Amino acid sequence: MDVVSASTQAPIQAPIEPLPLQSDLNPYLPEPHDRRNPNAWDALYVDQAIPVDLIAKGYMIRDLRNWTRSYLLLPIAFIANVLLAIIMTVKRLLPFQFSNYTLMHRSAAWFLNTFASPEACYLIVRHICLGSNIVNFLIDNGPDPTIEKSKLYPSTINDLAENAFLEHDLILYNFVLDYSKAQRENPHWIQQVRERGLSFDSIKPVQVNIDFTKRRWLRILDLESSIELFKVFYSLCLTSDEFERAVLSLEFDENFGCYVSALTGDYNWNHVITNRHPLAPESSFSSARNLMLHGIISEYLHRYLELRKEMAVSGKG
């Protein structure tokens, strides 16, 4: 598929996908439509204005309907932000900095396995895999295809104990720096992409192995509540600069959207990116909410690339 100008590229039209029946692979089944009492979550699930993988979307809806999000999120966020303020202040005042990546990641795996719902665990592991697919797609079609690609593809929560969160951030930053350097060194790279066409080999299915059948009584926390709690420990186990770098990584969604649009020539979908203006970064106290948005935007972007791949295979792109 050749790169075309933004002015001639028509907006991508997602095919209307049939809604799946509920099963182990299709986690959400809408209720019968009651016109006098419509279900808001069903409407959110069946709406396809913004394409999202339906299995992932089913787990998202189940996570959003978790009672802990309704009743515990606000007090958890308040307590977490008070603790975060104390930790950040103390670490800035100390004459030395300290970090412990091993403790951080093993604690994260233990916390998620012990307290987070299976839906939250699924979405966290999947997000890291989607990030690797997107980075690798940009490298395959970028100014220097020899840039080191991501090999970070966890499939279980225990896999996250192997420094997965730190590696996820390092992959992003090293990619941005390498990609920018390659753009400067090869100013005509877009023309080369036009000549060879886009490769979608890196946009591949991801394998996530989370056991939804064993629900221990403590594994109740929704995704955002889990992130609010763990960001406190995250800040404790990183130096001040490393924690700031991790928070700033959430500000690159708009950049990645523009990277993809430069390749496809399609800027019509970028309005779905809400994490904008990277030169005006959000506060660290908003990091849990911004991480939620980052995960959703990654789902949008990955599904968009899957649809472009289907178009290219069918000869319509």
Side-chain angles (χ1 to χ4, degrees):
M1 179 177 65
D2 293 334
V3 176
V4 296
S5 67
S7 60
T8 60
Q9 175 66 49
I12 188 169
Q13 297 295 322
I16 302 301
E17 302 179 56
L19 295 177
L21 298 175
Q22 186 172 16
S23 69
D24 292 339
L25 295 179
N26 300 312
Y28 191 86
L29 181 63
E31 299 173 358
H33 182 184
D34 181 352
R35 302 193 68 84
R36 302 303 301 171
N37 185 27
N39 187 304
W41 299 110
D42 287 356
L44 189 59
Y45 177 71
V46 302
D47 178 75
Q48 299 185 47
I50 303 175
V52 185
D53 178 270
L54 280 177
I55 294 175
K57 193 175 187 180
Y59 287 126
M60 289 180 188
I61 299 296
R62 281 170 52 168
D63 179 74
L64 292 173
R65 298 187 71 174
N66 189 332
W67 68 270
T68 64
R69 181 177 175 82
S70 299
Y71 296 101
L72 299 183
L73 177 57
L74 287 180
I76 284 174
F78 175 77
I79 295 169
N81 281 333
V82 170
L83 294 174
L84 181 62
I86 295 171
I87 292 171
M88 292 173 62
T89 301
V90 171
K91 295 192 84 169
R92 285 295 184 188
L93 294 175
L94 288 175
F96 60 89
Q97 293 287 303
F98 58 89
S99 61
N100 191 324
Y101 309 135
T102 300
L103 176 62
M104 181 181 76
H105 286 87
R106 290 182 179 176
S107 298
W110 173 82
F111 176 84
L112 292 170
N113 276 323
T114 305
F115 298 109
S117 70
E119 290 82 8
C121 293
Y122 174 91
L123 294 170
I124 289 171
V125 175
R126 174 177 165 84
H127 169 71
I128 293 178
C129 297
L130 297 189
S132 292
N133 277 2
I134 293 168
V135 164
N136 291 342
F137 167 81
L138 292 170
I139 292 173
D140 286 343
N141 299 285
D144 181 7
T146 67
I147 291 174
E148 183 178 0
K149 297 173 72 172
S150 174
K151 301 179 179 65
L152 187 61
Y153 287 94
S155 63
T156 67
I157 289 297
N158 290 334
D159 292 339
L160 302 180
E162 302 300 322
N163 286 353
F165 297 123
L166 177 64
E167 289 298 321
H168 183 63
D169 285 348
L170 293 178
I171 287 167
L172 181 149
Y173 281 107
N174 286 325
F175 163 77
V176 170
L177 292 167
D178 291 340
Y179 196 77
S180 300
K181 179 175 181 288
Q183 286 178 312
R184 294 192 299 271
E185 293 176 348
N186 186 5
H188 305 295
W189 69 277
I190 282 287
Q191 181 59 38
Q192 296 168 4
V193 174
R194 288 196 180 104
E195 294 172 356
R196 70 173 181 257
L198 293 180
S199 168
F200 290 91
D201 292 344
S202 291
I203 303 303
K204 56 188 179 182
V206 299
Q207 300 296 322
V208 180
N209 298 316
I210 301 295
D211 189 353
F212 286 85
T213 62
K214 297 179 181 178
R215 291 181 176 266
R216 296 188 295 272
W217 69 279
L218 283 177
R219 296 193 67 187
I220 58 174
L221 286 178
D222 62 277
L223 178 59
E224 192 168 357
S225 297
S226 300
I227 297 170
E228 286 284 3
L229 283 172
F230 195 74
K231 76 180 181 185
V232 178
F233 199 69
Y234 204 76
S235 69
L236 184 64
C237 290
L238 296 176
T239 67
S240 296
D241 289 342
E242 288 171 335
F243 181 66
E244 182 179 38
R245 184 183 66 193
V247 172
L248 284 172
S249 71
L250 306 175
E251 304 294 332
F252 281 87
D253 288 341
E254 188 173 30
N255 305 58
F256 273 72
C258 289
Y259 293 155
V260 170
S261 292
L263 291 172
T264 63
D266 179 9
Y267 288 83
N268 293 291
W269 68 278
N270 295 59
H271 64 281
V272 304
I273 301 173
T274 54
N275 282 356
R276 293 183 179 274
H277 310 301
L279 293 179
E282 293 275 358
S283 163
S284 299
F285 298 103
S286 304
S287 57
R289 177 64 176 172
N290 288 335
L291 184 53
M292 278 281 293
L293 292 173
H294 170 64
I296 294 169
I297 293 165
S298 297
E299 290 284 354
Y300 291 164
L301 178 53
H302 195 268
R303 184 57 185 151
Y304 171 82
L305 291 173
E306 287 179 330
L307 292 171
R308 299 291 304 208
K309 181 176 183 177
E310 292 172 10
M311 291 169 60
V313 170
S314 66
K316 296 179 181 179

